Amino acid sequence: MVERKPILAITMGDAAGVGPEIIMKALKDQEIYTSCCPFVIGDAKMLERADKIVQTNLKVNRIKKVEDARFSYGTVDCLDLDLLPPDLPFGQVSAEAGKAAFKYLEKAIELAKEQIIHGICTAPLNKEALHKGGHHYPGHTEILAELTNTKDYAMMLSAPNLKVIHVTTHVGLIDAVKQITPERVYTVIKLAHETLQKAGYKQPRIAVCGINPHAGENGLFGYGEEEEKVIPGVEKAQQEGISVFGPLPADTLFFRAIRGDFDVVVAMYHDQGHGPIKVLGLEAGVNITVGLPIIRTSVDHGTAFDIAGKGIADELSLKEAIRQAIELAPRSTNHD
């Protein structure tokens, strides 16, 4: 094996959304080809349709195996699964599109397990379409975890000056509080610590949010959730030498993190972590699944059915997701 540019599989996501459009727009950037070898897993006809809409004038090269890819700027290599009708409506929930989005991801995981690719970058899928297509998962993260037999994983969001990792994600608020345990808090702290160390942080500074306003303020708010659920996990991590602080009030913690006091924030539930990231701009956020045996990054926005097919979707989040996948990916595969 030799060191070379990483090979990245970009999954097309739900073709009724903006996925094909932002992929074609992103791969119009020649700089991507100087630092990685990208190819798309999806339906070539959907990419060709998107190209006519966004007018990138890129050629779509249908391939049946990765070895046939050209990895040449001006050509978008597509591992063509050919699952969708050419007239798939834009902006509508479709069982066909949901099922296809699952198949694209499944194929990417298969290639990653075979060490043919270095990483996966995912365009958005639609959860309702995914369910209609017979795959009852909350989202990409849970599919990836199950198909790679990963027990301990977490969602990390990354934007300029702010990284957030989540203890719970796609569950209701009441269920989220129930699911928060000292063991889970400790696990997420450790995942954050190990991930940032691999990215070059010698001693990452990790801040942990409280559950209640003012992190409970010594029992004034809530029913002792911080003392019961959060503090034991933090203390266990501290005993192992991890630089972790908290629980701290979330209403000021994110400001401090953006200012540079901390390298990553541990959020207790979905909106606590997602809100601050998205305030910084939807185009800036990237979703990273932490704890998997493979590298996976994603845009931090949805399928945008309301603007699908109009050619106005912003590709910057996908380009940033590709950039971060390049940084995290190993440099050798069986394909080498």
Side-chain angles (χ1 to χ4, degrees), residues 35 120 138:
S35 52
I120 301 169

Side-chain angles (χ1 to χ4, degrees), residues 43-193:
D43 270 50
K45 67 177 92 61
M46 295 292 109
L47 295 178
E48 290 170 341
R49 181 172 74 164
D51 183 62
K52 292 178 182 177
I53 294 168
V54 299
Q55 297 183 341
T56 51
N57 298 316
L58 298 173
K59 178 180 174 60
V60 177
N61 175 39
R62 288 170 166 81
I63 60 174
K64 292 301 179 185
K65 56 183 185 296
V66 179
E67 290 79 1
D68 295 334
R70 298 173 186 171
F71 301 131
S72 174
Y73 176 69
T75 299
V76 176
D77 297 299
C78 177
L79 189 61
D80 186 16
L81 301 194
D82 193 21
L83 300 173
L84 296 172
D87 58 348
L88 179 76
F90 287 113
Q92 295 182 23
V93 174
S94 160
E96 284 179 303
K99 185 176 182 180
F102 178 86
K103 291 293 185 182
Y104 305 149
L105 185 60
E106 186 178 47
K107 183 63 176 179
I109 293 169
E110 175 188 320
L111 295 173
K113 286 181 175 179
E114 294 172 359
Q115 297 186 5
I116 292 173
I117 62 175
H118 299 87
I120 301 169
C121 185
T122 58
L125 53 73
N126 180 278
K127 294 177 179 63
E128 185 179 352
L130 183 69
H131 294 175
K132 283 193 171 184
H135 301 287
H136 298 279
Y137 295 88
H140 271 119
T141 302
E142 293 79 9
I143 298 171
L144 284 152
E146 181 170 310
L147 296 187
T148 58
N149 297 313
T150 301
K151 178 184 176 184
D152 293 329
Y153 62 92
M155 176 190 292
M156 178 182 284
L157 302 182
S158 179
N161 303 320
L162 181 63
K163 287 181 173 61
V164 182
I165 190 168
H166 293 71
V167 173
T168 68
T169 49
H170 296 111
V171 293
L173 187 55
I174 293 173
D175 291 330
V177 174
K178 290 178 181 177
Q179 289 183 16
I180 298 168
T181 65
E183 293 76 18
R184 176 62 180 166
V185 170
Y186 164 76
T187 295
V188 173
I189 292 170
K190 195 167 180 65
L191 286 171
H193 177 76

Side-chain angles (χ1 to χ4, degrees), residues 29-45:
D29 187 345
Q30 188 170 0
E31 188 175 334
I32 289 175
Y33 285 82
T34 65
S35 52
C36 77
C37 297
F39 72 99
V40 181
I41 300 178
D43 270 50
K45 67 177 92 61

Side-chain angles (χ1 to χ4, degrees), residues 1 3 30 47 85 88 103 123 130 133-134 155 159-160 206 215 252 254 272 274-275 285 298 309 321-322 328:
M1 293 185 181
E3 186 168 318
Q30 188 170 0
L47 295 178
L88 179 76
K103 291 293 185 182
L130 183 69
M155 176 190 292
I206 303 169
T252 55
F254 289 99
Q272 188 181 58
H274 278 61
S298 178
I322 292 170
L328 294 168

Side-chain angles (χ1 to χ4, degrees), residues 178-331:
K178 290 178 181 177
Q179 289 183 16
I180 298 168
T181 65
E183 293 76 18
R184 176 62 180 166
V185 170
Y186 164 76
T187 295
V188 173
I189 292 170
K190 195 167 180 65
L191 286 171
H193 177 76
E194 293 172 349
T195 299
L196 292 188
Q197 279 198 324
K198 289 176 183 177
Y201 295 75
K202 289 184 179 179
Q203 183 70 336
R205 298 163 300 164
I206 303 169
V208 179
C209 289
I211 299 172
N212 294 297
H214 301 187
E217 201 162 308
N218 297 317
L220 184 61
F221 303 112
Y223 298 92
E225 287 86 358
E226 279 73 20
E227 289 76 11
E228 175 191 347
K229 295 172 172 287
V230 182
I231 292 175
V234 172
E235 290 179 343
K236 183 177 180 181
Q238 289 172 337
Q239 290 166 6
E240 295 183 5
I242 295 175
S243 182
V244 57
F245 309 88
L248 300 171
D251 58 354
T252 55
L253 173 50
F254 289 99
F255 167 78
R256 293 181 62 191
I258 292 171
R259 186 175 65 185
D261 294 0
F262 306 108
D263 299 309
V264 62
V265 174
V266 177
M268 292 295 115
Y269 51 90
H270 183 282
D271 285 11
Q272 188 181 58
H274 278 61
I277 287 284
K278 294 191 176 182
V279 164
L280 296 176
L282 291 177
E283 75 285 350
V286 174
N287 184 328
I288 305 168
T289 307
V290 173
L292 296 174
I294 55 179
I295 298 301
R296 180 262 176 167
T297 65
S298 178
V299 296
D300 186 34
H301 61 73
T303 47
F305 276 177
D306 57 325
I307 61 170
K310 298 180 180 179
I312 60 175
D314 195 317
E315 76 279 14
L316 292 181
S317 183
L318 179 60
K319 288 170 68 173
E320 180 63 17
I322 292 170
R323 187 189 68 80
Q324 295 213 22
I326 293 167
E327 287 186 4
L328 294 168
R331 290 297 186 271

